[in-house]
Amino acid sequence: MKRSFYEETSHNFLFSMYTSSKKNKFNRFRIHKHTELEFGYIIKGSGIYILADLNYTAADGDIFLVRPGEQHCIPTITTPELVSLTFQISSYYLWNVCSDYISYQKLRALVSTSMPITQRFHADGETKAVLSELLSLLCDESE
């Protein structure tokens, strides 16, 4: 299920959120990149997450931050299934809406691959609760 949101007047793409489910696999690469900033949250399962030149072991509760233009993929899933929640945020939204709330330096770090940042996080209880609520809203909307 996927929901995309657009600005009312200009109809510019703002962001989307969707879930995906992938089955167990080994070394099946589908490296890709896109123009949006992406947050990927692993709801259930584990595997190998490749982001730029780094390999991570991904598991329940991990969040990956993928900047625009960065190559990434999950070539190996070590559990029967890997379920994730993904947010893709347009540069338009970042610079025209988020800039009212986030400093220029922080926004620049989110889009510039030349600035070193942490790109893997583990969700704590409060973050998991918020993501769970967003997931339930997404599911309610799609029914």
Side-chain angles (χ1 to χ4, degrees), residues 22 25-34 38 40 42 46-59 62-67 69-78 82 119-120:
K22 297 172 180 66
K25 62 182 179 174
F26 180 75
N27 277 348
R28 290 190 19 222
F29 291 82
R30 194 182 141 274
I31 296 173
H32 65 283
K33 60 184 178 180
H34 35 75
E38 179 176 287
I42 308 295
S46 62
I48 303 299
Y49 195 106
I50 296 176
L51 175 53
D53 295 330
L54 299 173
N55 289 2
Y56 297 95
T57 300
D62 284 343
I63 299 171
F64 291 91
L65 169 64
V66 182
R67 295 181 283 194
E70 284 188 312
Q71 293 188 355
H72 58 286
C73 74
I74 303 174
T76 299
I77 297 175
T78 56
L82 186 138
Q119 292 184 268
R120 177 186 173 195

Side-chain angles (χ1 to χ4, degrees), residues 5-57:
F5 299 86
Y6 297 85
E7 190 175 57
E8 249 180 64
T9 53
S10 70
H11 304 289
N12 284 315
F13 170 68
L14 300 174
F15 65 93
S16 63
M17 55 191 265
Y18 59 92
T19 59
S20 64
S21 173
K22 297 172 180 66
K23 300 294 179 198
N24 178 269
K25 62 182 179 174
F26 180 75
N27 277 348
R28 290 190 19 222
F29 291 82
R30 194 182 141 274
I31 296 173
H32 65 283
K33 60 184 178 180
H34 35 75
T35 59
E36 298 85 18
L37 173 69
E38 179 176 287
F39 291 91
Y41 171 60
I42 308 295
I43 298 170
K44 177 179 88 170
S46 62
I48 303 299
Y49 195 106
I50 296 176
L51 175 53
D53 295 330
L54 299 173
N55 289 2
Y56 297 95
T57 300

Side-chain angles (χ1 to χ4, degrees), residues 58-119:
D60 299 7
D62 284 343
I63 299 171
F64 291 91
L65 169 64
V66 182
R67 295 181 283 194
E70 284 188 312
Q71 293 188 355
H72 58 286
C73 74
I74 303 174
T76 299
I77 297 175
T78 56
T79 52
E81 180 181 42
L82 186 138
V83 180
S84 62
L85 174 64
T86 301
F87 299 91
Q88 289 183 330
I89 304 169
S90 73
S91 293
Y92 175 85
Y93 186 71
L94 288 171
W95 293 111
N96 291 283
V97 178
C98 297
S99 61
D100 290 343
Y101 309 98
I102 302 172
S103 74
Y104 170 80
Q105 275 303 104
K106 289 181 181 175
L107 284 175
R108 194 166 154 254
L110 289 174
V111 298
S112 173
T113 57
S114 65
M115 297 181 73
I117 63 169
T118 301
Q119 292 184 268

